[in-house]
Amino acid sequence: MEKLTKDGLEKLRQQHAAADKNYIKVGFSSCGIAAGAQEVYDVLCEEVRKHNADVEIKKCGCVGMCSAEPLVEVRVKNMPRVFYGKVDKETAIKIVEKHVGAKMLLNDRIYDMKVS
Amino acid sequence: MGKTVFIKDTTIGGKDRTRDVYGILLGVLRERGLENNVQLVRVVDIGVYGQGVVVRVLPENFLYTHVEDADIVGIVEQSLIGGKPFAAKLVAEGARQLRIVLRNCGVIDPESIEEYIAKDGYQALAKVLSDTPEKTLQEMKTSGLRGRGGAGFPTGMKWEFTRKSPGAQKYIICNGDEGDPGAYMDRSVLEGDPHSVIEGMIIGGYAIGASKGYFYIRAEYPLAIERIEKALHQCREAGLLGKNIFGSSFSFDVEIRLGAGAFVCGEETALIASIEGKRGYPSPRPPFPSVKGLWGKPTCINNVETLANIPVILLKGGAWFAGIGTASSKGTKVFAVTGKVKNSGLVEVPMGTAIEDIVYGIGGGALAGKSVKAIQTGGPSGGVIPKEHFSTKVDYESLQQMGSIMGSGGMIVMDEDDCMPDIAKFYLGFCVDESCGKCAPCRIGGTQMLRLLTKVTEGEGTPKDLEQLEQISHAMQKASLCGLGQTAPNPVLSTLHYYRAEYDAHVKNKKCPACKCAKLVRFLIMSEKCVKCGMCFKACPVNAISGNRESGYLIDQTKCIRCGQCFEACKPRAISRS
Ligand SMILES: Cc1cc2nc3c(=O)[nH]c(=O)nc-3n(C[C@H](O)[C@H](O)[C@H](O)COP(=O)(O)O)c2cc1C
Ligand code: SF4
Ligand code: SF4
């Protein structure tokens, strides 16, 4: 990266400003990693590749619901943005198949806590 | 966006009717041929607790509580077909979080400087550098931000003192030693949004006139260290650290120092000694670090959370920040809510939020089948607040009035199974372990208090011991050299104040009302209730239970270690604990 100027900073900001894209975020702080975030992340990546799904998988820090880790946030256009908690391998597979693929939210997995 | 309905039965105890309500709703939708237009979802947690069946309709976000089966047709017709609220059961959203410090935690990739920049990162730094340091100091004083490391000293003033101290070389240090049991807010910020802390530190450096900063992070936080290292590297690459930042005359760089895990090294003078490579002993203040700190130079020490606030304050203005919170405590506070609470995790609320809103509203209250007894705030320097006082608002002064402190933000929830003398013993034991031993009041006083508390919890205590506990407490508070010893008696004094009866029960009746203190409890099988299932037999880790499924079971009191495993394992509650 070249040395930033004020204009450069502003340009970068606009370039990376949140685009209206589908994403899956996996909490990758100590709490998430300890609860098994890496496996969930790997499964998600694998499934997305398999289904060629229109979604980007990202890592993020801890959103604060440590007791529900591994925590996965899913945002698909025209659907509510939700958090899946205590995600295991099976749930991760279903997130890609059902939520991202069939546009159906999963039962008994969503933690609807208002964090922001 | 199509309609989505979240359903959750939040009734505490009793049958979970989430599935029933789901079925009824689905039936009503089918009758109207709408089942494909609406997504019905059973959720695990709906952010509301103990309010019967709760239904949330999206995207309008209508929230209904205490929903009866008879209400369902109304909700479908009014909200799902009509798009209007169903007034009879509509409620406003309860306690909400407000995220300033945690604004990016869980939102951005902490290892990407671009994502931080996309969230207005380093805009505050750019703005600050185009004006004088005095302007920044003024803005900080307007904001009313107080240090989040425990003492709550106004940050703007601390910065100004350091700036005004004579000397060409000055330093700023970020205190990431976070040693309070149960507290991990700082770790989470360092791991989840490292750039916010770095930006806060660079701004602080500019404001006080420092060219060098240090991160002091405990070695037990390897991921935090790794992410800060990575972020610092990205900053150097982008010219946000180094010479002439943003083309200004200001140059600044940062180094990391690791703490070896001594609690006392979080104390600022001990921390400085530790960075200098000396033994982590506190030294008397004055001189304060702002006058004579690291290597004898004026030094400003700020907590992680304090620094994470800075970029937002300077971008949105001190007046904006001062509009949040209470008269004397501005902004928000992050709490690590842990212990016997349903949702343990991090919570950021405006100062002045009632404890009950945090514990019940956001934390979801006690674990299944238990009830909350009290919270502990401020870690080993704080105290307990009984549930009768949960209307207390969290700000520096209110918590102090209750005999506790804000501290760094640990909030440990305790339930009926927690014994107060035992809690006091735990915290005091922590301080005795962590005392550096430099001064006598803390070294000797702490040990003596621990001895007395051990006597009490083992049923050997006398009323005189309680008196003595108070006397030593006051002596330690007055005479200890540093904050560790000065505040170590707080958990003892506060539990003595609120739960005197519990201490008396230990001392006079040799009983532990919470049935926690191993020496004072007894587990007995009540043969009239026992169904001879043998679960207790299996559960006992030391084989203190003998018998078989014909003759029943017996606990051998000489072998029993009072762990309570059998008590938990017995479904028909045939084991008494007293
Ligand atoms: C025994 C002891 C331990 C401390 N531990 C910490 C700590 O882990 N983190 C911290 O920020 N402050 C800690 N402090 C407070 C610091 O001495 C100092 O007040 C604080 O870092 C100043 O930052 P602030 O003004 O931003 O709050 C501790 C104080 C004492 C007496
Ligand atoms: S009060 Fe305790 S920790 Fe502090 S200097 Fe004295 S002995 Fe050391
Ligand atoms: S678990 Fe309870 S009911 Fe079963 S054998 Fe033990 S005491 Fe009896």
Side-chain angles (χ1 to χ4, degrees):
Chain A
M1 195 188 269
E2 56 187 288
K3 303 273 178 246
L4 277 178
T5 58
K6 266 189 216 166
D7 295 339
L9 183 72
E10 183 55 29
K11 242 189 235 145
L12 258 185
R13 187 175 76 90
Q14 287 170 6
Q15 235 173 54
H16 290 270
D20 190 27
K21 276 200 272 190
N22 295 343
Y23 64 72
I24 298 179
K25 282 183 196 169
V26 185
F28 256 83
S29 280
S30 292
C31 44
I33 294 171
Q38 187 65 53
E39 193 196 4
V40 171
Y41 183 83
D42 293 343
V43 172
L44 286 168
C45 291
E46 176 64 32
E47 291 299 306
V48 165
R49 211 176 307 124
K50 244 189 349 212
H51 296 273
N52 198 15
D54 168 30
V55 67
E56 187 186 355
I57 303 182
K58 304 185 340 159
K59 294 183 181 179
C60 64
C62 163
V63 81
M65 291 184 240
C66 308
S67 56
E69 293 283 357
L71 205 68
V72 172
E73 183 188 339
V74 183
R75 195 262 175 188
V76 171
K77 260 174 261 178
N78 296 319
M79 290 178 78
R81 184 186 64 120
V82 296
F83 289 98
Y84 290 104
K86 303 192 183 162
V87 175
D88 52 11
K89 216 174 138 183
E90 286 77 63
T91 314
I93 294 172
K94 278 201 207 144
I95 287 175
V96 179
E97 279 181 11
K98 277 194 71 188
H99 187 145
V100 181
K103 311 275 182 274
M104 294 285 291
L105 299 171
L106 307 188
N107 273 313
D108 308 313
R109 288 286 179 276
I110 291 176
Y111 285 69
D112 178 36
M113 289 129 122
K114 292 280 161 281
V115 290
S116 49
Chain B
M1 197 187 292
K3 297 253 190 281
T4 306
V5 181
F6 287 164
I7 307 163
K8 170 73 187 168
D9 184 356
T10 68
T11 312
I12 294 167
K15 185 178 176 294
D16 184 347
R17 293 197 65 246
T18 308
R19 278 176 184 272
D20 301 349
V21 178
Y22 180 90
I24 298 170
L25 236 165
L26 190 60
V28 175
L29 288 174
R30 284 213 175 111
E31 278 167 22
R32 287 160 178 74
L34 290 173
E35 71 271 22
N36 295 326
N37 303 13
V38 177
Q39 281 211 31
L40 286 190
V41 190
R42 297 186 301 269
V43 299
V44 186
D45 193 303
I46 200 159
V48 177
Y49 308 94
Q51 307 285 322
V53 173
V54 178
V55 171
R56 190 192 292 280
V57 176
L58 297 170
E60 291 88 350
N61 203 14
F62 297 137
L63 182 65
Y64 304 114
T65 59
H66 299 289
V67 173
E68 307 289 336
D69 296 354
D71 297 321
I72 291 176
V73 171
I75 293 178
V76 169
E77 293 192 333
Q78 294 286 321
S79 297
L80 296 179
I81 301 175
K84 292 196 180 63
F86 174 66
K89 296 289 159 107
L90 187 75
V91 292
E93 202 76 44
R96 290 295 282 271
Q97 301 201 39
L98 174 65
R99 298 204 159 196
I100 297 176
V101 174
L102 301 179
R103 60 193 178 279
N104 293 329
C105 287
V107 177
I108 64 169
D109 179 352
E111 300 191 3
S112 159
I113 190 172
E114 288 84 6
E115 290 200 17
Y116 179 69
I117 289 173
K119 293 280 176 189
D120 295 339
Y122 293 108
Q123 297 280 342
L125 177 64
K127 182 173 159 187
V128 161
L129 289 184
S130 59
D131 216 322
T132 60
E134 283 72 20
K135 178 81 185 21
T136 299
L137 292 177
Q138 190 49 50
E139 210 59 53
M140 287 309 300
K141 283 195 281 182
T142 309
S143 77
L145 174 70
R146 294 167 66 175
R148 301 297 192 235
F153 192 81
T155 307
M157 270 166 73
K158 199 190 263 189
W159 284 12
E160 189 167 54
F161 290 152
T162 319
R163 174 158 195 93
K164 286 188 174 155
S165 289
Q169 178 68 58
K170 290 173 189 174
Y171 299 103
I172 181 163
I173 300 174
C174 171
N175 187 344
D177 197 47
E178 197 169 52
D180 287 14
Y184 62 100
M185 306 74 49
D186 294 349
R187 185 192 75 200
S188 205
V189 175
L190 292 170
E191 288 180 356
D193 193 13
H195 282 287
S196 68
V197 189
I198 295 172
E199 186 179 0
M201 189 190 238
I202 306 174
I203 292 172
Y206 178 69
I208 65 174
S211 58
K212 180 100 199 217
Y214 287 90
F215 269 99
Y216 189 84
I217 308 175
R218 61 197 319 223
E220 290 97 324
Y221 285 178
L223 188 61
I225 295 163
E226 185 189 315
R227 293 207 172 138
I228 287 289
E229 258 169 8
K230 201 170 234 174
L232 288 174
H233 179 73
Q234 291 166 344
C235 286
R236 283 186 204 109
E237 296 265 286
L240 296 167
L241 285 175
K243 288 206 173 0
N244 305 108
I245 299 170
F246 282 128
S248 70
S249 59
F250 177 61
S251 301
F252 188 77
D253 213 331
V254 178
E255 270 181 53
I256 303 179
R257 287 287 184 275
L258 305 190
F263 178 62
V264 76
C265 283
E267 195 280 334
E268 52 192 23
T269 58
L271 187 152
I272 287 172
S274 170
I275 293 185
E276 289 172 346
K278 297 185 194 137
R279 190 167 175 160
Y281 268 165
S283 42
R285 297 175 307 178
F288 285 92
S290 55
V291 179
K292 202 162 172 284
L294 189 59
W295 290 302
K297 310 290 185 211
T299 302
C300 172
I301 300 185
N302 283 127
N303 165 265
V304 170
E305 189 182 332
T306 311
L307 290 177
N309 269 299
I310 306 289
V312 193
I313 292 175
L314 291 165
L315 204 56
K316 297 195 178 180
W320 165 82
F321 191 81
I324 302 165
T326 65
S328 63
S329 307
K330 303 300 187 189
T332 59
K333 180 77 194 84
V334 183
F335 289 97
V337 184
T338 57
K340 313 280 185 63
V341 65
K342 189 165 175 288
N343 307 322
S344 48
L346 295 184
V347 165
E348 182 173 357
V349 289
M351 294 280 190
T353 301
I355 293 170
E356 55 201 0
D357 287 337
I358 301 176
V359 174
Y360 300 113
I362 299 172
L367 296 172
K370 303 281 182 187
S371 71
V372 174
K373 179 173 180 176
I375 57 162
Q376 205 278 351
T377 66
S381 315
V384 295
I385 299 178
K387 67 166 186 295
E388 291 74 23
H389 299 283
F390 276 10
S391 57
T392 305
K393 307 212 175 311
V394 290
D395 63 41
Y396 292 96
E397 279 70 27
S398 307
L399 289 180
Q400 205 155 14
Q401 267 170 20
M402 298 305 297
S404 188
I405 59 164
M406 177 80 82
S408 57
M411 184 179 280
I412 301 176
V413 180
M414 295 176 290
D415 70 11
E416 54 206 4
D417 293 339
D418 287 306
C419 160
M420 289 301 161
D422 184 60
I423 295 276
K425 191 177 96 186
F426 165 79
Y427 282 109
L428 201 77
F430 177 87
C431 289
V432 170
D433 281 347
E434 295 295 338
S435 165
C436 77
K438 183 174 179 181
C439 72
C442 169
R443 184 181 67 237
I444 301 171
T447 307
Q448 286 310 314
M449 282 180 72
L450 186 60
R451 184 183 61 86
L452 292 169
L453 281 169
T454 306
K455 268 179 81 184
V456 169
T457 53
E458 293 185 348
E460 311 285 330
T462 62
K464 196 145 181 293
D465 290 338
L466 300 187
E467 268 171 49
Q468 219 181 353
L469 271 175
E470 279 177 315
Q471 279 167 2
I472 303 176
S473 291
H474 293 128
M476 271 177 81
Q477 285 180 325
K478 285 204 191 82
S480 294
L481 174 60
C482 85
L484 194 152
Q486 287 158 7
T487 58
N490 290 0
V492 179
L493 289 175
S494 116
T495 48
L496 263 173
H497 174 69
Y498 289 116
Y499 295 97
R500 183 72 188 211
E502 245 176 74
Y503 278 89
D504 286 342
H506 282 76
V507 169
K508 294 187 183 138
N509 313 332
K510 311 297 176 200
K511 281 279 165 211
C512 173
C515 297
K516 173 91 185 183
C517 294
K519 287 263 165 75
L520 303 178
V521 296
R522 256 171 109 74
F523 293 94
L524 286 174
I525 296 176
M526 299 177 282
S527 52
E528 67 281 9
K529 281 196 188 165
C530 173
V531 297
K532 303 182 182 172
C533 65
M535 294 306 285
C536 55
F537 176 78
K538 287 202 193 110
C540 179
V542 293
N543 297 327
I545 301 181
S546 60
N548 56 51
R549 300 201 53 179
E550 272 87 57
S551 63
Y553 296 88
L554 192 71
I555 302 176
D556 181 345
Q557 297 298 333
T558 58
K559 283 194 192 161
C560 172
I561 55 164
R562 278 98 178 164
C563 66
Q565 299 274 344
C566 57
F567 181 81
E568 298 293 337
C570 178
K571 288 266 145 47
R573 299 197 164 276
I575 298 184
S576 72
R577 182 178 68 170
S578 58

